[in-house]
Amino acid sequence: MIIYGTGESPFGPCQVARSERGICYLGFSARPENRDPRLERMALGKRLVRADDEIRKLLPEIFTLRPELPLDLKGTPFQMSIWRALLEIPAGATRSYTDVAVASGRPRAVRAAANAVAANPVAWLVPCHRVVRKDGSLGGYHWGTACKRAMLEYENRHRSVVS
């Protein structure tokens, strides 16, 4: 069973899902009342139960700079290595896709690293928003570049609180 719900984040409406093992999905949408297709695919074979109140109780912990909630991530070994590399990027800092590929131990797999970053099911918690193009420009973001920019600005504003 997967419990999911919607709420407000510092970056707009969000949808969060958790299994018995931890948070398995976090996404941002202008229409969070509709289940995201990524959540639908992730939940194949499992019962989805909507519980907005339960999920909203998690939001204050989720949207800190150092959330300590358990995650329930499923991916290939390569994706998992990329997601671990993302977790090593400090709040407010950025790295290029090349940097992430190197940090994962696969320096020549830059394109595959970009695909793994894009496949991250828990935006913010695994900070894919911290990955930028080699020239330092933001590049794309599944939830929009305005959301990506807002996340980086939020981290920079609040970084001194957790340092």
Side-chain angles (χ1 to χ4, degrees):
M1 175 173 61
I2 294 178
I3 305 284
Y4 80 98
T6 63
E8 281 297 317
S9 79
F11 320 110
C14 67
Q15 192 168 88
V16 178
R18 70 161 186 78
S19 69
E20 63 281 348
R21 295 180 60 201
I23 304 294
C24 57
Y25 176 81
L26 172 57
F28 302 91
S29 173
R31 302 195 56 180
E33 65 276 4
N34 299 328
R35 282 197 303 239
D36 187 292
R38 291 173 90 175
L39 174 58
E40 295 281 346
R41 285 189 301 274
M42 176 187 307
L44 284 177
K46 296 182 181 164
R47 188 165 62 106
L48 279 168
V49 177
R50 186 161 186 165
D52 289 334
D53 289 341
E54 184 176 334
I55 292 301
R56 286 180 185 134
K57 290 176 186 174
L58 295 173
L59 297 181
E61 174 62 19
I62 287 173
F63 293 105
T64 66
L65 292 191
R66 292 189 185 158
E68 295 191 19
L69 293 167
L71 300 178
D72 182 8
L73 299 177
K74 293 184 178 33
T76 66
F78 179 73
Q79 287 173 323
M80 298 297 278
S81 72
I82 293 297
W83 299 339
R84 279 190 297 276
L86 296 178
L87 289 167
E88 297 300 318
I89 304 171
T94 59
R95 300 290 184 270
S96 71
Y97 291 99
T98 301
D99 295 334
V100 172
V102 169
S104 77
R106 301 275 304 273
R108 294 177 47 157
V110 176
R111 190 176 306 245
N115 288 334
V117 169
N120 171 23
V122 288
W124 179 257
L125 293 170
V126 173
C128 52
H129 61 279
R130 296 179 188 158
V131 183
V132 297
R133 292 181 174 154
K134 191 183 283 190
D135 67 5
S137 64
L138 287 183
Y141 190 58
H142 182 81
W143 308 109
T145 55
C147 184
K148 185 175 189 171
R149 183 177 292 107
M151 289 176 169
L152 292 168
E153 289 171 356
Y154 180 88
E155 289 179 336
N156 281 312
R157 276 195 316 274
H158 294 90
R159 190 172 33 187
S160 63
V161 174
V162 295
S163 295

